[in-house]
Amino acid sequence: MRFVHHAFPEREITTVDSSTHLFGLSFSSPFFINAITGGSPLTTAINQRLAILARELDLAMATGSVSLAMKDQAAAETFAIIRKENPNGLVFANLGAHHGLENAKRAVDLLQANALQIHVNVPQEIIMPEGERAFTGWLKNIEKIVEGLEVPVIVKEVGFGMSRETVKQLCALGVASIDISGRGGTNFARIENARRKGGTYHFLENWGQTTVESLVEAKACLASEKSPKLIASGGVHHALDIVKCLALGADLVGLSGQMLHWVRQPESLDGAIQAVGDMKRQVRSLMCLLGAEKITDLRRTDVVLPASVQNWARARELDISAYACRSQRSQT
Protein backbone atom coordinates (compact mmCIF):
# COMPACT_ATOMS: atom_id res chain seq x y z
CA MET A 1 0.00 0.00 0.00
CA ARG A 2 1.05 3.61 -0.55
CA PHE A 3 0.21 6.87 1.14
CA VAL A 4 -0.89 9.74 -1.07
CA HIS A 5 1.65 12.50 -0.49
CA HIS A 6 0.24 15.96 0.26
CA ALA A 7 2.85 18.74 0.25
CA PHE A 8 1.50 20.82 3.16
CA PRO A 9 0.98 18.76 6.33
CA GLU A 10 0.61 21.88 8.54
CA ARG A 11 2.13 20.04 11.48
CA GLU A 12 5.18 20.27 13.78
CA ILE A 13 6.96 17.15 15.00
CA THR A 14 7.00 18.56 18.54
CA THR A 15 3.19 18.50 18.63
CA VAL A 16 2.87 14.87 17.51
CA ASP A 17 1.63 12.42 20.15
CA SER A 18 2.33 8.80 19.21
CA SER A 19 0.95 7.28 22.41
CA THR A 20 -2.03 4.93 22.27
CA HIS A 21 -4.56 3.48 24.68
CA LEU A 22 -6.11 0.01 24.75
CA PHE A 23 -8.33 -1.82 27.23
CA GLY A 24 -7.54 0.57 30.08
CA LEU A 25 -3.76 0.56 29.52
CA SER A 26 -1.61 3.40 28.19
CA PHE A 27 1.26 2.79 25.77
CA SER A 28 3.86 5.50 25.22
CA SER A 29 4.62 3.99 21.79
CA PRO A 30 2.19 2.53 19.25
CA PHE A 31 4.31 -0.62 18.83
CA PHE A 32 5.48 -3.38 21.17
CA ILE A 33 7.55 -6.56 21.37
CA ASN A 34 5.20 -9.31 20.32
CA ALA A 35 5.34 -13.00 21.35
CA ILE A 36 8.63 -14.70 20.49
CA THR A 37 10.10 -17.47 22.62
CA GLY A 38 10.79 -19.25 25.91
CA GLY A 39 11.34 -22.68 27.43
CA SER A 40 15.12 -23.27 27.23
CA PRO A 41 18.38 -21.81 28.61
CA LEU A 42 19.05 -20.08 25.27
CA THR A 43 15.62 -18.46 25.26
CA THR A 44 16.07 -17.34 28.86
CA ALA A 45 18.92 -15.14 27.70
CA ILE A 46 16.89 -13.87 24.73
CA ASN A 47 13.90 -13.05 26.95
CA GLN A 48 16.20 -11.27 29.38
CA ARG A 49 17.58 -9.05 26.63
CA LEU A 50 14.10 -8.41 25.25
CA ALA A 51 12.89 -7.43 28.73
CA ILE A 52 15.79 -5.02 29.15
CA LEU A 53 15.00 -3.53 25.74
CA ALA A 54 11.35 -3.13 26.77
CA ARG A 55 12.33 -1.54 30.07
CA GLU A 56 14.80 0.93 28.56
CA LEU A 57 12.46 2.06 25.76
CA ASP A 58 9.17 1.83 27.71
CA LEU A 59 7.70 -0.80 25.40
CA ALA A 60 5.08 -3.39 26.22
CA MET A 61 6.21 -6.99 25.75
CA ALA A 62 4.38 -10.25 25.13
CA THR A 63 6.00 -13.54 26.10
CA GLY A 64 6.24 -16.60 23.94
CA SER A 65 3.77 -19.38 24.73
CA VAL A 66 4.04 -20.39 28.40
CA SER A 67 2.35 -23.76 27.75
CA LEU A 68 5.50 -25.67 28.70
CA ALA A 69 5.75 -23.69 31.94
CA MET A 70 2.41 -25.11 33.06
CA LYS A 71 4.15 -28.43 33.77
CA ASP A 72 7.87 -27.62 33.98
CA GLN A 73 9.24 -25.29 36.66
CA ALA A 74 12.57 -24.94 34.86
CA ALA A 75 10.70 -23.69 31.79
CA ALA A 76 8.73 -21.28 33.96
CA GLU A 77 11.96 -19.53 34.92
CA THR A 78 12.69 -18.76 31.27
CA PHE A 79 9.59 -16.56 31.28
CA ALA A 80 9.78 -15.22 34.84
CA ILE A 81 13.04 -13.46 33.93
CA ILE A 82 10.94 -10.99 31.92
CA ARG A 83 9.17 -9.64 34.98
CA LYS A 84 12.38 -9.70 37.03
CA GLU A 85 14.13 -7.46 34.51
CA ASN A 86 11.12 -5.22 33.92
CA PRO A 87 9.14 -5.12 37.19
CA ASN A 88 7.02 -2.11 36.28
CA GLY A 89 6.49 -2.59 32.55
CA LEU A 90 3.50 -3.81 30.59
CA VAL A 91 3.77 -7.58 30.08
CA PHE A 92 1.36 -9.90 28.26
CA ALA A 93 1.41 -13.61 29.02
CA ASN A 94 0.77 -15.94 26.10
CA LEU A 95 -1.07 -19.27 26.02
CA GLY A 96 -2.67 -21.53 23.40
CA ALA A 97 -6.42 -21.60 22.90
CA HIS A 98 -6.64 -25.26 23.97
CA HIS A 99 -5.94 -24.23 27.57
CA GLY A 100 -8.69 -23.59 30.09
CA LEU A 101 -9.32 -20.89 32.66
CA GLU A 102 -7.12 -22.36 35.42
CA ASN A 103 -4.04 -22.44 33.22
CA ALA A 104 -4.86 -18.94 32.02
CA LYS A 105 -4.82 -17.75 35.64
CA ARG A 106 -1.53 -19.55 36.25
CA ALA A 107 0.03 -17.94 33.19
CA VAL A 108 -1.03 -14.48 34.33
CA ASP A 109 0.26 -15.14 37.86
CA LEU A 110 3.62 -16.38 36.57
CA LEU A 111 4.28 -13.07 34.82
CA GLN A 112 2.15 -10.78 37.00
CA ALA A 113 0.82 -10.02 33.54
CA ASN A 114 -1.21 -6.96 32.57
CA ALA A 115 -3.07 -8.94 29.89
CA LEU A 116 -3.26 -12.44 28.44
CA GLN A 117 -2.63 -13.25 24.79
CA ILE A 118 -4.37 -16.39 23.58
CA HIS A 119 -2.83 -17.59 20.34
CA VAL A 120 -4.64 -19.55 17.65
CA ASN A 121 -2.51 -21.52 15.21
CA VAL A 122 -4.42 -24.35 13.52
CA PRO A 123 -2.28 -24.50 10.34
CA GLN A 124 0.89 -24.67 12.44
CA GLU A 125 -0.54 -27.46 14.60
CA ILE A 126 -1.62 -29.42 11.52
CA ILE A 127 1.91 -29.33 10.10
CA MET A 128 3.72 -29.78 13.43
CA PRO A 129 4.63 -33.48 13.82
CA GLU A 130 3.54 -33.52 17.48
CA GLY A 131 0.85 -30.87 17.09
CA GLU A 132 -2.76 -30.84 18.22
CA ARG A 133 -5.22 -32.83 16.13
CA ALA A 134 -8.46 -31.82 17.85
CA PHE A 135 -9.65 -28.24 17.47
CA THR A 136 -13.06 -28.30 19.12
CA GLY A 137 -13.77 -26.20 22.17
CA TRP A 138 -11.35 -23.36 21.49
CA LEU A 139 -14.05 -20.70 21.28
CA LYS A 140 -15.65 -22.04 24.47
CA ASN A 141 -12.27 -21.92 26.23
CA ILE A 142 -11.78 -18.31 25.16
CA GLU A 143 -15.28 -17.38 26.33
CA LYS A 144 -14.67 -18.88 29.78
CA ILE A 145 -11.29 -17.18 30.07
CA VAL A 146 -12.77 -13.80 29.11
CA GLU A 147 -15.49 -14.24 31.72
CA GLY A 148 -13.23 -15.54 34.49
CA LEU A 149 -9.97 -13.63 34.10
CA GLU A 150 -9.36 -10.31 35.81
CA VAL A 151 -7.02 -8.95 33.12
CA PRO A 152 -7.87 -8.12 29.48
CA VAL A 153 -7.79 -10.96 26.95
CA ILE A 154 -6.14 -10.56 23.53
CA VAL A 155 -6.69 -13.24 20.88
CA LYS A 156 -3.95 -13.41 18.25
CA GLU A 157 -3.17 -15.44 15.18
CA VAL A 158 0.43 -16.53 14.66
CA GLY A 159 0.88 -15.37 11.08
CA PHE A 160 -2.02 -16.74 9.03
CA GLY A 161 -4.24 -13.67 9.29
CA MET A 162 -7.90 -13.35 10.17
CA SER A 163 -11.18 -13.10 8.28
CA ARG A 164 -14.10 -10.86 9.18
CA GLU A 165 -16.00 -14.02 10.15
CA THR A 166 -13.31 -14.88 12.72
CA VAL A 167 -13.27 -11.30 13.98
CA LYS A 168 -17.06 -11.37 14.43
CA GLN A 169 -16.82 -14.60 16.42
CA LEU A 170 -14.26 -13.02 18.75
CA CYS A 171 -16.33 -9.84 19.09
CA ALA A 172 -19.26 -11.95 20.28
CA LEU A 173 -17.07 -13.42 23.03
CA GLY A 174 -16.18 -10.02 24.42
CA VAL A 175 -12.40 -10.16 24.00
CA ALA A 176 -10.59 -6.92 24.74
CA SER A 177 -8.40 -6.96 21.64
CA ILE A 178 -7.73 -8.92 18.45
CA ASP A 179 -4.29 -9.31 16.89
CA ILE A 180 -4.89 -10.23 13.25
CA SER A 181 -1.23 -11.31 12.76
CA GLY A 182 -1.21 -11.63 9.00
CA ARG A 183 0.91 -13.63 6.59
CA GLY A 184 4.19 -11.96 5.66
CA GLY A 185 6.33 -12.32 8.76
CA THR A 186 7.65 -15.44 10.50
CA ASN A 187 6.35 -18.41 8.51
CA PHE A 188 5.44 -21.14 10.98
CA ALA A 189 4.23 -23.40 8.19
CA ARG A 190 7.74 -23.34 6.71
CA ILE A 191 9.34 -23.82 10.12
CA GLU A 192 7.22 -26.85 10.97
CA ASN A 193 7.74 -28.34 7.49
CA ALA A 194 11.48 -28.15 8.09
CA ARG A 195 11.02 -30.22 11.25
CA ARG A 196 9.12 -33.02 9.52
CA LYS A 197 10.89 -36.23 8.45
CA GLY A 198 8.70 -36.58 5.39
CA GLY A 199 5.27 -35.88 4.00
CA THR A 200 5.64 -32.14 4.21
CA TYR A 201 2.80 -29.66 3.77
CA HIS A 202 4.86 -27.34 1.56
CA PHE A 203 1.65 -26.27 -0.17
CA LEU A 204 0.51 -24.54 3.05
CA GLU A 205 3.50 -22.21 3.26
CA ASN A 206 1.47 -19.38 1.68
CA TRP A 207 -1.74 -20.16 3.55
CA GLY A 208 -3.85 -17.37 4.96
CA GLN A 209 -4.42 -13.64 4.60
CA THR A 210 -1.71 -11.00 4.52
CA THR A 211 -1.55 -8.35 7.21
CA VAL A 212 -3.13 -5.72 4.94
CA GLU A 213 -5.89 -8.09 3.81
CA SER A 214 -6.58 -9.00 7.43
CA LEU A 215 -6.78 -5.35 8.50
CA VAL A 216 -9.26 -4.61 5.72
CA GLU A 217 -11.29 -7.66 6.76
CA ALA A 218 -11.27 -6.66 10.43
CA LYS A 219 -12.18 -3.01 9.92
CA ALA A 220 -15.22 -4.08 7.93
CA CYS A 221 -16.85 -5.30 11.15
CA LEU A 222 -15.28 -3.21 13.92
CA ALA A 223 -17.32 -0.04 13.63
CA SER A 224 -18.50 0.40 17.21
CA GLU A 225 -16.63 2.16 20.00
CA LYS A 226 -17.33 -0.93 22.09
CA SER A 227 -15.62 -3.20 19.55
CA PRO A 228 -12.36 -4.93 20.53
CA LYS A 229 -9.25 -2.88 19.91
CA LEU A 230 -7.22 -3.97 16.91
CA ILE A 231 -3.58 -5.04 17.00
CA ALA A 232 -1.62 -5.64 13.79
CA SER A 233 1.43 -7.83 13.36
CA GLY A 234 3.01 -10.00 10.69
CA GLY A 235 5.91 -8.78 8.54
CA VAL A 236 6.38 -5.45 10.33
CA HIS A 237 10.02 -4.39 9.91
CA HIS A 238 10.30 -0.61 10.19
CA ALA A 239 8.53 2.64 11.09
CA LEU A 240 6.66 2.95 7.78
CA ASP A 241 5.19 -0.54 8.23
CA ILE A 242 4.00 0.51 11.69
CA VAL A 243 2.39 3.70 10.44
CA LYS A 244 0.69 1.84 7.58
CA CYS A 245 -0.87 -0.58 10.06
CA LEU A 246 -2.06 2.29 12.22
CA ALA A 247 -3.54 4.04 9.18
CA LEU A 248 -5.50 0.88 8.34
CA GLY A 249 -7.12 0.87 11.77
CA ALA A 250 -4.73 -0.82 14.19
CA ASP A 251 -4.45 0.72 17.66
CA LEU A 252 -1.17 -1.05 18.39
CA VAL A 253 1.44 -2.84 16.26
CA GLY A 254 3.51 -5.87 17.22
CA LEU A 255 7.04 -6.76 16.07
CA SER A 256 8.59 -10.18 16.70
CA GLY A 257 11.12 -11.27 14.08
CA GLN A 258 12.73 -7.84 13.83
CA MET A 259 13.08 -7.59 17.62
CA LEU A 260 14.60 -11.07 17.78
CA HIS A 261 17.09 -10.12 15.07
CA TRP A 262 18.17 -7.08 17.04
CA VAL A 263 18.81 -8.91 20.35
CA ARG A 264 20.02 -12.29 19.05
CA GLN A 265 23.55 -11.79 20.39
CA PRO A 266 24.44 -10.44 23.88
CA GLU A 267 26.63 -7.72 22.40
CA SER A 268 23.78 -6.51 20.19
CA LEU A 269 21.65 -5.10 23.02
CA ASP A 270 23.08 -1.56 22.86
CA GLY A 271 22.48 -1.53 19.11
CA ALA A 272 18.92 -2.77 19.65
CA ILE A 273 18.23 0.06 22.10
CA GLN A 274 19.54 2.54 19.53
CA ALA A 275 17.51 0.98 16.70
CA VAL A 276 14.23 0.95 18.64
CA GLY A 277 14.83 4.49 19.83
CA ASP A 278 15.31 5.53 16.22
CA MET A 279 12.09 3.72 15.28
CA LYS A 280 10.11 5.62 17.90
CA ARG A 281 11.41 8.91 16.51
CA GLN A 282 10.76 7.81 12.93
CA VAL A 283 7.13 6.98 13.70
CA ARG A 284 6.58 10.50 15.01
CA SER A 285 8.34 11.98 11.97
CA LEU A 286 6.12 10.00 9.60
CA MET A 287 3.02 11.08 11.49
CA CYS A 288 4.14 14.70 11.04
CA LEU A 289 4.74 14.09 7.32
CA LEU A 290 1.16 12.81 7.07
CA GLY A 291 -0.26 15.73 9.05
CA ALA A 292 -1.31 13.51 11.95
CA GLU A 293 -1.17 14.90 15.46
CA LYS A 294 -2.34 11.64 17.06
CA ILE A 295 -2.80 8.01 16.09
CA THR A 296 -6.48 8.37 15.23
CA ASP A 297 -5.63 11.09 12.70
CA LEU A 298 -3.81 8.48 10.61
CA ARG A 299 -7.17 6.89 9.83
CA ARG A 300 -8.05 10.00 7.83
CA THR A 301 -4.97 9.79 5.62
CA ASP A 302 -5.31 8.80 1.97
CA VAL A 303 -3.98 5.34 1.15
CA VAL A 304 -3.98 3.45 -2.14
CA LEU A 305 -4.27 -0.28 -1.64
CA PRO A 306 -2.34 -2.60 -3.97
CA ALA A 307 -4.16 -4.36 -6.78
CA SER A 308 -3.97 -7.71 -4.99
CA VAL A 309 -5.81 -6.28 -1.96
CA GLN A 310 -8.35 -4.49 -4.16
CA ASN A 311 -9.07 -7.79 -5.94
CA TRP A 312 -9.37 -9.55 -2.59
CA ALA A 313 -11.78 -6.89 -1.31
CA ARG A 314 -13.97 -7.11 -4.39
CA ALA A 315 -14.15 -10.89 -4.15
CA ARG A 316 -15.01 -10.64 -0.46
CA GLU A 317 -17.51 -7.80 -1.01
CA LEU A 318 -15.60 -5.42 1.24
CA ASP A 319 -16.12 -1.70 0.64
CA ILE A 320 -12.73 -0.03 0.21
CA SER A 321 -13.92 2.89 -1.91
CA ALA A 322 -13.12 5.50 0.75
CA TYR A 323 -9.51 4.61 1.49
CA ALA A 324 -7.85 6.71 -1.22
CA CYS A 325 -9.89 9.88 -0.51
CA ARG A 326 -10.39 9.76 3.25
CA SER A 327 -8.90 13.22 3.91
CA GLN A 328 -11.48 14.86 1.62
CA ARG A 329 -14.36 13.01 3.26
CA SER A 330 -13.20 14.00 6.76
CA GLN A 331 -13.38 17.67 5.78
CA THR A 332 -16.98 17.49 4.57
Side-chain angles (χ1 to χ4, degrees):
M1 61 169 281
R2 295 171 57 192
F3 285 103
V4 177
H5 171 63
H6 300 302
F8 302 105
E10 291 294 316
R11 182 66 58 206
E12 297 179 13
I13 291 180
T14 55
T15 66
V16 172
D17 178 9
S18 61
S19 64
T20 189
H21 308 274
L22 287 81
F23 40 79
L25 299 176
S26 296
F27 300 79
S28 63
S29 295
F31 63 92
F32 73 109
I33 302 171
N34 215 343
I36 298 178
T37 191
S40 71
L42 172 63
T43 58
T44 303
I46 291 173
N47 275 337
Q48 183 176 31
R49 293 195 287 274
L50 288 168
I52 293 171
L53 180 64
R55 182 189 70 209
E56 294 303 306
L57 276 302
D58 192 26
L59 296 180
M61 176 180 173
T63 73
S65 174
V66 300
S67 295
L68 185 60
M70 297 296 96
K71 53 187 177 183
D72 184 347
Q73 182 57 38
E77 290 301 314
T78 72
F79 299 101
I81 189 67
I82 294 169
R83 183 51 86 187
K84 290 178 182 176
E85 288 290 352
N86 192 10
N88 300 314
L90 294 177
V91 175
F92 306 157
N94 180 296
L95 203 61
H98 60 285
H99 288 275
L101 177 58
E102 289 309 309
N103 276 355
K105 290 179 177 179
R106 290 174 61 197
V108 170
D109 289 343
L110 172 65
L111 276 302
Q112 302 170 41
N114 304 94
L116 175 68
Q117 265 188 355
I118 299 176
H119 69 261
V120 292
N121 63 334
V122 176
Q124 181 188 12
E125 296 287 349
I126 289 289
I127 304 170
M128 190 187 306
E130 71 281 12
E132 292 286 325
R133 295 295 181 262
F135 305 106
T136 57
W138 284 16
L139 284 169
K140 182 59 68 175
N141 286 345
I142 293 170
E143 182 177 29
K144 290 180 179 178
I145 291 170
V146 169
E147 292 174 352
L149 208 60
E150 294 183 357
V151 300
V153 174
I154 305 162
V155 176
K156 79 177 295 291
E157 247 290 351
V158 301
F160 301 100
M162 286 194 183
S163 65
R164 61 182 167 186
E165 291 83 358
T166 297
V167 171
K168 287 178 180 178
Q169 287 176 304
L170 294 173
C171 286
L173 299 182
V175 301
S177 182
I178 299 170
D179 184 345
I180 51 89
S181 191
R183 175 168 59 83
T186 302
N187 190 323
F188 283 103
R190 187 172 298 149
I191 289 169
E192 298 302 342
N193 270 327
R195 297 179 61 240
R196 295 184 68 88
K197 301 298 184 183
T200 67
Y201 291 75
H202 61 275
F203 40 78
L204 290 182
E205 292 184 4
N206 287 316
W207 186 267
Q209 289 82 259
T210 67
T211 299
V212 174
E213 289 165 350
S214 299
L215 284 167
V216 171
E217 290 265 346
K219 288 308 292 182
C221 55
L222 292 179
S224 168
E225 284 294 322
K226 295 182 180 179
S227 298
K229 295 297 185 179
L230 194 58
I231 298 175
S233 60
V236 179
H237 298 287
H238 47 65
L240 183 56
D241 288 341
I242 293 169
V243 174
K244 285 180 177 180
C245 289
L246 298 170
L248 289 181
D251 297 282
L252 189 65
V253 180
L255 293 85
S256 297
Q258 184 61 63
M259 293 292 183
L260 179 60
H261 172 73
W262 279 333
V263 304
R264 192 177 299 250
Q265 302 299 328
E267 63 272 14
S268 65
L269 182 56
D270 288 343
I273 292 172
Q274 177 66 46
V276 175
D278 289 343
M279 184 178 284
K280 293 177 74 170
R281 288 184 286 273
Q282 289 165 351
V283 166
R284 295 177 67 244
S285 296
L286 289 171
M287 289 177 63
C288 179
L289 174 64
L290 291 163
E293 183 177 22
K294 54 188 182 297
I295 297 298
T296 52
D297 292 339
L298 289 170
R299 296 169 196 166
R300 294 194 290 270
T301 56
D302 301 322
V303 296
V304 178
L305 298 173
S308 60
V309 177
Q310 294 185 43
N311 291 338
W312 176 277
R314 279 193 293 270
R316 293 281 291 158
E317 298 182 355
L318 301 170
D319 183 8
I320 59 170
S321 59
Y323 279 85
C325 302
R326 296 188 301 187
S327 64
Q328 297 176 32
R329 298 193 179 201
S330 67
Q331 294 170 9
T332 58

